[in-house]
Amino acid sequence: MAAHDYDTQAFLSIFPEPLQEALERIERFDELVEVVLDLGRVPEARFEFDFVPLSKGRVTKGDIDFIVRKVGEFDRDNRGGIEQTLHRISAIRNRHNEVVGLTCRVGRALYGKIEIIEDLVKKGSSILILGRPGIGKTTLLREASRYMSDTLKKRVIIVDTSNEIGGDGDVPHPGVGSSRRMQVPLNKEQHDIMIEAVENHNPEVIVIDEIGRIEEAQACRTIAERGVELIGTAHGNDLGNLITNPTLIDLLGGIQTVTLSDEEAQRRGTQKSVLERKAAPTFDVLVELRERDVLAVYRNLADVVDRVLRGFDVQPEIRRRTAGKEFLIEPLHQEEVPTSQRGTEQLWTQDSSVRLYIQGVSQSYIERASHSLHADVRVARMMEDADIVLLSDTLAAKKPFLVERAEALGLPLYTTSKNSLAAIKDLLRRIHSMSVDKDQYASWVHLMREAVVSSASRELPYSDAFERRMQHRLAERLGLFSESEGIEPFRHVVVYSPTMKPTQGPPGAV
C-alpha cells in the first residue's frame, strides 16, 4: 500500500463507521484540513476556505469515546496521534477532565517543497520561518530536515515537542529522511531538550518547531553561539510582529534604549533616546510565509533589524511558487502609489530631483522619507535654489520673514507641526500630488523642441508658480532661454531657442 493510501486509511479508521462513510463520500480528502467534533453539535469536515457538515445528527458521547479509544493516550498537552503518521488529534476537556471535543487534523508529508528555499538551506544559513497557524510552516520545516539529512548529508536532530514534525510513535515518519528525533515530554521542557541535543548528540543542525517562550529563544541563542545551524518556526504575521513581541525579540538580537550625545543626535537628526539592536540576531535569514505558495525573504537579518529600528522601510525578496517545483523571484516591491500621484513619480524621475529648502525640519527625516518613497528629493542651501519651502509651524511663527520671502519668490510653502518621519512622509506625498502628470510634462518637451527646430519662441500654457519653476528648469536642461510673462492668473513661460535671447526680464524669472 502506498504511503499516501496508508495515511488516508489510518486517519479514517479512528472514526465511527457513519463518519467514515461521510468522509469518503466527500471525495476531497486531499484538500481536507481537519475534522471537528464537539459534543451536542453537528460534526464538520473543514477545508482551507469552507466546511461541510458530515451528518444531520449531533455528536454523542459515544462518538467521542470511540475516537479516544482508537487514539489511545493523550499527552499532558491534550494531544495524541496515530502511529507512524503525521495526523494530530487534540482534545477539549470539561472541568471534570472528560473529553467533550476533538480536533482531528490531517498531517501530510508534501515532498518537493524545499526548492523555494533550497539556496538558503544549502548556504548553511540559520533560518527562522514565520507565519500564522496552518499556513505550512511545519511542512516546510519537515522538508528542510529531510533535505539536509539525506541530500546535504548533515547530522540533523529534530526537537519534536508535539510530534508534528516526525509523527506519532517511536519511529519517525519517512518524511523527515534520516534526521534523528528527540521527543519532548512537556512543552515547558522544550528548551532543556534543545540544549541536551547539542551537548549529547553532536548535531550540525537543530530543527525546532513553534518557538514561543523566552527560555526557548534563549536556548536558540546558546545553540547558535556554539556554531550549530538552526532551522525554526514561530507564530506571527510579519517582521513587525516579531520586533514588537517581548518574548521572541531576543531571536532578532534584542532591543535596548540608547541615549545619544547632543552632537550625535543632531548628526542623525533624531531624538536623544533611540532604539538600537542589543546583540547579533540568532538567525541569519527570516522567511515570512504570507500564503501557502508566497514567501518573503529577509536576508542579512542584522542589517534589516537596524534599518527598521531607524525608521526605514525594508522591502523583502518575494518568492512565488508557480507550478510543481518552479517558483519566481519578484523584483523588489515598490510602495503602491495612489492613482493621483503616479504621474509625479515619472516627473521626478525625468526632472532629476525636487529641491526643498527646509528650516526647523530634520534633514535626516527628509532623506529617509524620500528613500522610502523612491523619490529624488534634495535639500537646497538657499531658498532661491529651491522648488518648495518646508518649515516647522514654530519657526514659521517666529520668523515670518521666511514666509514672506517664499511668497515673494513664488515658491509653494508647506508647514508641519510634527518633526517626525511619519509626518515628513505624508508631506512628501502631498508634494507628489501637486506635481504635474506625465502627459502634461510631455507637452512641455514638445513645445520646447519646436522652439529649437524653428529657431522661434514658444509660449507655454498658463500655469502656477510651481509649474513655471519646473518649466524653467526643463528649459535650462534643454539648453533654452526662458522667462515668465503676464500677470496672475495669466502668467506663463516663454522659451527661446539658443540663437535668441529674451527681450525682457532676467532668464528663468518666475
Side-chain angles (χ1 to χ4, degrees), residues 150-359:
D150 289 359
T151 304
L152 302 183
K153 306 299 181 184
K154 290 188 175 182
R155 300 187 301 274
V156 180
I157 289 188
I158 299 168
V159 178
D160 204 356
T161 307
S162 55
N163 287 353
E164 277 195 75
I165 304 175
D168 204 56
D170 294 332
V171 179
H173 190 275
V176 300
S178 56
S179 302
R180 302 179 72 190
R181 177 176 67 163
M182 296 181 68
Q183 298 184 51
V184 181
L186 281 174
N187 280 353
K188 63 183 181 181
E189 297 175 2
Q190 180 169 267
H191 61 285
D192 290 329
I193 303 297
M194 292 166 65
I195 300 300
E196 180 186 330
V198 176
E199 292 177 342
N200 293 353
H201 304 290
N202 191 31
E204 293 178 278
V205 184
I206 292 284
V207 175
I208 174 74
D209 197 14
E210 294 186 10
I211 303 166
R213 294 179 173 84
I214 192 166
E215 294 86 1
E216 291 155 15
Q218 291 169 347
C220 286
R221 175 166 296 281
T222 301
I223 291 169
E225 288 171 351
R226 297 186 185 189
V228 178
E229 187 181 334
L230 273 168
I231 310 287
T233 69
H235 287 310
N237 290 323
D238 52 37
L239 175 62
N241 292 155
L242 205 58
I243 287 178
T244 56
N245 187 328
T247 303
L248 300 181
I249 186 58
D250 192 56
L251 298 175
L252 302 180
I255 296 176
Q256 61 185 353
T257 302
V258 176
T259 302
L260 305 175
S261 65
D262 292 338
E263 294 79 6
E264 180 65 14
Q266 186 175 6
R267 186 185 70 80
R268 294 190 187 187
T270 63
Q271 298 177 343
K272 292 190 65 174
S273 294
V274 296
L275 295 177
E276 288 193 351
R277 181 167 49 83
K278 190 186 302 183
T282 303
F283 293 88
D284 306 311
V285 178
L286 175 69
V287 175
E288 290 177 4
L289 273 176
R290 295 188 171 181
E291 298 174 22
R292 285 192 180 275
D293 294 320
V294 180
L295 280 65
V297 177
Y298 294 90
R299 300 172 184 265
N300 192 1
L301 203 48
D303 182 58
V304 168
V305 173
D306 289 344
R307 291 177 63 80
V308 170
L309 292 178
R310 290 173 187 171
F312 287 102
D313 286 339
V314 179
Q315 302 298 338
E317 177 185 289
I318 304 297
R319 301 184 176 196
R320 190 180 301 273
R321 189 178 283 112
T322 52
K325 298 181 180 181
E326 301 297 320
F327 67 94
L328 295 174
I329 299 178
E330 298 180 1
L332 284 180
H333 171 67
Q334 300 292 317
E335 184 167 303
E336 183 66 25
V337 181
T339 304
S340 62
Q341 299 174 15
R342 285 177 186 158
T344 307
E345 292 283 353
Q346 184 68 24
L347 173 65
W348 284 18
T349 301
Q350 289 179 333
D351 202 45
S352 176
S353 66
V354 167
R355 295 172 292 193
L356 290 182
Y357 177 78
I358 61 173
Q359 287 286 337

Side-chain angles (χ1 to χ4, degrees), residues 412-432:
L413 174 66
Y414 286 85
T415 61
T416 177
S417 58
K418 296 180 180 178
N419 187 17
S420 68
L421 182 61
I424 298 304
K425 268 190 183 181
D426 288 341
L427 263 174
L428 290 187
R429 289 191 183 101
R430 285 168 56 196
I431 293 169
H432 266 209

Side-chain angles (χ1 to χ4, degrees), residues 28 46 76 86-87 129 145 168 201 220 283-284 298 335 356 388 422 460 479 485:
R28 291 176 61 189
R46 293 185 176 176
R76 278 175 281 188
L86 301 173
H87 308 309
I129 302 169
S145 303
D168 204 56
H201 304 290
C220 286
F283 293 88
D284 306 311
Y298 294 90
E335 184 167 303
L356 290 182
I388 296 166
L460 300 184
E485 292 183 355

Side-chain angles (χ1 to χ4, degrees), residues 11 23 26 28-38 41-54 102-106 108:
F11 184 79
L23 285 167
I26 293 174
R28 291 176 61 189
F29 190 83
D30 287 345
E31 302 172 39
L32 184 64
V33 175
E34 61 192 14
V35 175
V36 173
L37 299 96
D38 290 312
R41 294 184 176 178
V42 174
E44 295 176 354
R46 293 185 176 176
F47 303 90
E48 187 170 0
F49 300 111
D50 66 335
F51 67 91
V52 176
L54 292 176
L102 292 167
T103 302
C104 308
R105 189 166 184 177
V106 179
R108 297 182 181 89

